[in-house]
Amino acid sequence: MAALVRLAIVPVNPELPDRVFAPAPAYLVSREKIREFSRAVFSRNAINLDPSAARAAGFADVVAPPTFAVVVQEATLAQLLAEPDAGIDFSRVVHGEQNFHYTRPIVAGDELTATLRVLSVKTLGGNAMVASESHIVDAQGAHVVTATSTLVVRGDDA
Amino acid sequence: MSDLIPAGLAVGDVVANTQIVLTRDSLVRYAGASGDFNPIHYRDDVALSVGLPGVIAHGMLTMGVAVQPVLDWLSPRGRVVDYGVRFTRPVVVDPEPGATLQIRAVVAVIDEATGEARIDLTVTFAEKTVLAKAQVRVSFT
């Protein structure tokens, strides 16, 4: 298996920075997905779990925890990994850094659209670091959150 | 504007210092909730084949649980406007007894003008840092 992986290695395309991908299909945020995700990250916060508590706090429905945006971002990272000329071998990818920058929290009922832009490709110690940001907007086109990831593509460590 | 920041909050205050135990159940639950079904998070044979010591937690699970103690302290007075981490070391989750994360959150910066504060997280597993530059910017506006 290791030999097959090594044969598949191609360097990450240095021309990727500033490439903007087509918007990913809209993601409709459901109440139950937020509740499921909230339980999975050990949330005890009533606004994540209880619609009446969320409404009492001024929200239309349950509020997503801060890292929920990764679920919406994921489709755009899949686009990046599948890009034929990107040269990113998924089997060698490790998550290096992650950031979320919010204009407002995600709330159940939101219909979100994410668009990925490659920020940079750097080589460090034989590894390639691919930074990208996914700009996530609501159905009105207003910014909700930007999710930024650095993926580390491990070099041939043989 | 200075009335936005909770009275008495000061740089250096420890707002959370707690432990969270991740088990294999936690990983399976997070895989389903997040849609991240990479088998290194539930199959030892696959994890070993790529050079890991065993099944590891999703980095995003560690990031997600690490901020919860801050939210327990913060909600409903404020909200998270920015949260970032660097993943420095995998969290190996053995079937027994799981993996205990130590999470400590300290007030690093207070900005009276914007009503925001930066909370820095120290997240360790087996006494080693697993999230570096783990910073949560919170707004009290």
Side-chain angles (χ1 to χ4, degrees):
Chain A
M1 176 147 179
L4 285 174
V5 166
R6 220 160 279 137
L7 281 175
I9 291 172
V10 281
V12 175
N13 184 349
E15 304 294 321
L16 279 179
D18 293 326
R19 187 176 298 188
V20 178
F21 286 66
Y27 184 101
L28 179 59
V29 180
S30 77
R31 175 188 292 172
E32 295 308 334
K33 194 64 186 178
I34 287 183
R35 287 154 54 108
E36 180 189 12
F37 187 91
S38 299
R39 289 191 292 267
V41 293
F42 294 44
S43 171
R44 293 164 292 269
N45 203 330
I47 65 169
N48 297 147
L49 301 163
D50 177 0
S52 58
R55 281 193 286 269
F59 297 98
D61 205 319
V62 291
V63 179
T67 60
F68 179 80
V70 74
V71 175
V72 183
Q73 178 194 14
E74 198 278 332
T76 65
L77 292 174
Q79 287 178 304
L80 173 61
L81 295 172
E83 184 80 337
D85 70 342
I88 300 174
D89 176 358
F90 178 62
S91 70
R92 307 189 74 86
V93 168
V94 178
H95 202 168
E97 293 178 37
Q98 181 70 36
N99 179 272
F100 301 101
H101 190 78
Y102 278 91
T103 298
R104 68 161 176 87
I106 294 173
V107 176
D110 278 337
E111 190 173 307
L112 302 174
T113 301
T115 304
L116 182 140
R117 183 168 75 95
V118 179
L119 297 175
S120 65
V121 174
K122 292 173 187 160
T123 306
L124 194 70
N127 298 327
M129 323 268 282
V130 183
S132 66
E133 67 172 23
S134 299
H135 187 82
I136 298 174
V137 300
D138 64 18
Q140 286 72 46
H143 181 261
V144 176
V145 54
T146 296
T148 307
S149 288
T150 301
L151 303 179
V152 181
V153 187
R154 290 179 297 139
D156 192 347
D157 48 11
Chain B
M1 292 290 280
S2 60
D3 56 344
L4 294 171
I5 300 289
L9 190 68
V11 170
D13 283 359
V14 178
V15 298
N17 191 13
T18 188
Q19 293 183 337
I20 286 179
V21 179
L22 298 179
T23 63
R24 291 282 173 95
D25 300 35
S26 317
L27 273 50
V28 171
R29 187 181 293 258
Y30 185 78
S34 68
D36 182 344
F37 293 104
N38 188 331
I40 62 171
H41 305 303
Y42 53 88
R43 278 184 55 180
D44 284 297
D45 59 329
V46 175
L48 292 169
S49 76
V50 298
L52 294 165
V55 159
I56 63 167
H58 307 74
M60 289 306 305
L61 172 59
T62 303
M63 182 180 184
V65 300
V67 75
Q68 289 306 323
V70 175
L71 297 169
D72 291 345
W73 162 76
L74 180 69
S75 192
R77 297 171 298 169
R79 65 190 181 90
V80 171
V81 291
D82 192 281
Y83 178 32
V85 305
R86 182 180 295 166
F87 302 101
T88 53
R89 204 174 260 107
V91 175
V92 179
V93 181
D94 291 327
E96 284 292 341
T100 301
L101 298 174
Q102 181 73 41
I103 301 159
R104 183 178 155 90
V106 178
V107 179
V109 176
I110 291 177
D111 187 336
E112 300 276 358
T114 61
E116 292 186 357
R118 197 186 88 204
I119 313 298
D120 288 0
L121 300 176
T122 303
V123 183
T124 57
F125 163 63
E127 297 178 7
K128 289 180 177 161
T129 299
V130 293
L131 300 180
K133 283 191 72 177
Q135 300 180 346
V136 191
R137 184 165 286 276
V138 301
S139 171
F140 294 98
T141 58

